[in-house]
Amino acid sequence: VMLADEHIYLGAAAAETAAAAGAELPVEVDIESGVGRPGPALCELAEDRKSDVIVIGSHERSIWDRLLTPSVGGYVIGHAPCSVLVVR
């Protein structure tokens, strides 16, 4: 129970931070928080909302990390129902 409570708290805190950052942008920004596999959840959310683009962050990883560790970005790029913009 404690782990689930912590995830809910951290998700709410992250959503607040994202909402504050999004409020400063000249575009509409939707904030969504959940628990589960993020790649499929992002693709499903984009399809449900008929999104034009998914913007995701990337970070430097070695070739071995990319080969051996599945990434959310890789999943989204391969399965998204819309364009995907990857930023570093």
Side-chain angles (χ1 to χ4, degrees), residues 21-68:
E24 298 177 14
L25 298 174
V27 295
E28 180 181 339
V29 176
D30 292 323
I31 309 297
E32 187 83 23
S33 177
V35 177
R37 295 183 58 218
L42 285 169
C43 292
E44 183 178 330
L45 184 63
E47 188 168 342
D48 291 348
R49 293 187 177 196
K50 297 178 179 28
S51 298
D52 297 319
V53 65
I54 298 173
V55 180
I56 56 174
S58 176
H59 55 281
E60 296 295 322
R61 292 179 14 170
S62 73
I63 186 71
W64 297 111
D65 283 341
R66 284 182 283 180
L67 289 172
L68 299 174

